[in-house]
Amino acid sequence: RELEKELELHVKKDYFGICVKCRKGVYGASQACQAMGNLYHTNCFICCSCGRRLRGKAFYNVNGKVYCEEDFLYSGFQQTADKCFVCGHLIMEMILQALGKSYHPGCFRCVLCNECLDGVPFTVDLENNIYCVKDYHTVFAPKCASCGRPILPAQGSEETIRVVSMDKDYHVACYRCEDCGLQLNDEEARRCYPLEGHLLCHSCHIRRINVPHPTQPQPPPGYQLHVTEL
């Protein structure tokens, strides 16, 4: 019986849809109010403070609560509302809180590339400047002593892998003998034998030691160097 009555009303009056507040049908243009992308009965879309109907009037949406202009401006709400740390404006709807501060989600961005970091991993420097992870590593990553480029995590990883030798940082691929190019690591035959600040494998280390220094005085031709036996 109720369904029949509902169908009759559909025919007799203009049906606009379901009111998002009371969940009942909205019939007739005089009863319909469209706001914030939703449909309301005119009597359902009211100021939560004074109850005034807001169809055709200015209003403020604050965390899902609707205020008429007068109540919002003169109720002292502005003194208690959070202000965005970046732009300084009141945060009327969604609020993002990080590092003890409040932000509009759209204002929470990397200081370098300006990418929005709402819901995205981020990090900060010592001065609390906000960075996306990629830019943070680019700025603060150690530089390779061989190629001079930053040592960054592998794609899809947050861990930085590097080689530290002689108080210097190296990419794993750049950690090579400077003379023969052998890839150096912890294996017995590939260990690093530094000499005067140079990365060398064992063979090249010995070869450099045995090469006479250019400034070292040499004996005249025809004279042989002898060493005592005792």
Side-chain angles (χ1 to χ4, degrees):
R1 192 64 185 165
E2 289 295 326
L3 181 59
E4 290 178 0
K5 290 182 179 180
E6 190 77 12
L7 289 173
E8 288 176 6
L9 286 172
H10 272 275
V11 175
K12 291 179 180 179
K13 298 181 179 180
D14 294 328
Y15 175 68
F16 285 84
I18 301 297
C19 173
V20 296
K21 186 172 183 180
C22 70
R23 309 305 302 172
K24 294 181 180 179
V26 180
Y27 300 94
S30 63
Q31 296 299 314
C33 177
Q34 191 85 20
M36 301 181 295
N38 295 314
L39 178 67
Y40 298 84
H41 287 108
T42 300
N43 290 334
C44 288
F45 191 65
I46 59 175
C47 172
C48 68
S49 179
C50 68
R52 178 187 303 175
R53 287 188 293 186
L54 297 175
R55 182 185 178 191
K57 295 182 172 62
F59 65 89
Y60 290 87
N61 178 19
V62 183
N63 298 325
K65 292 184 177 181
V66 180
Y67 293 84
C68 66
E69 188 173 17
E70 288 81 357
D71 280 329
F72 175 79
L73 294 176
Y74 302 111
S75 65
F77 172 81
Q78 294 184 84
Q79 281 68 46
T80 60
D82 285 300
K83 292 184 179 180
C84 177
F85 180 74
V86 174
C87 70
H89 294 299
L90 294 177
I91 301 175
M92 309 300 294
E93 297 183 13
M94 295 293 293
I95 183 171
L96 188 154
Q97 292 185 317
L99 312 173
K101 301 178 178 67
S102 299
Y103 302 83
H104 291 110
C107 291
F108 193 67
R109 296 176 177 271
C110 173
V111 295
L112 285 186
C113 68
N114 204 37
E115 177 189 0
C116 181
L117 299 177
D118 181 22
V120 177
F122 69 92
T123 187
V124 297
D125 62 15
L126 294 176
E127 298 178 352
N128 279 337
N129 293 311
I130 304 164
Y131 296 83
C132 65
V133 174
K134 178 183 176 182
D135 283 339
Y136 181 84
H137 283 303
T138 300
V139 173
F140 296 102
K143 302 296 188 295
C144 177
S146 177
C147 70
R149 296 181 181 136
I151 303 174
L152 304 174
Q155 189 169 2
S157 172
E158 295 183 4
E159 183 180 3
T160 300
I161 300 176
R162 57 178 169 154
V163 178
V164 180
S165 179
M166 299 181 293
D167 294 325
K168 298 177 182 178
D169 299 301
Y170 297 87
H171 289 109
V172 173
C174 293
Y175 190 57
R176 296 176 176 274
C177 174
E178 295 180 22
D179 285 358
C180 69
L182 178 72
Q183 180 81 57
L184 302 174
N185 53 39
D186 288 335
E187 295 177 16
E188 183 68 32
R190 293 175 174 268
R191 288 182 180 171
C192 180
Y193 292 83
L195 179 65
E196 298 177 350
H198 296 282
L199 300 178
L200 300 172
C201 66
H202 183 262
S203 298
C204 293
H205 180 97
I206 297 299
R207 189 178 298 113
R208 284 204 183 195
I209 289 177
N210 291 334
V211 173
H213 196 278
T215 59
Q216 182 177 336
Q218 303 296 315
Y223 288 87
Q224 184 178 1
L225 178 66
H226 297 276
V227 180
T228 59
E229 297 179 1
L230 294 176

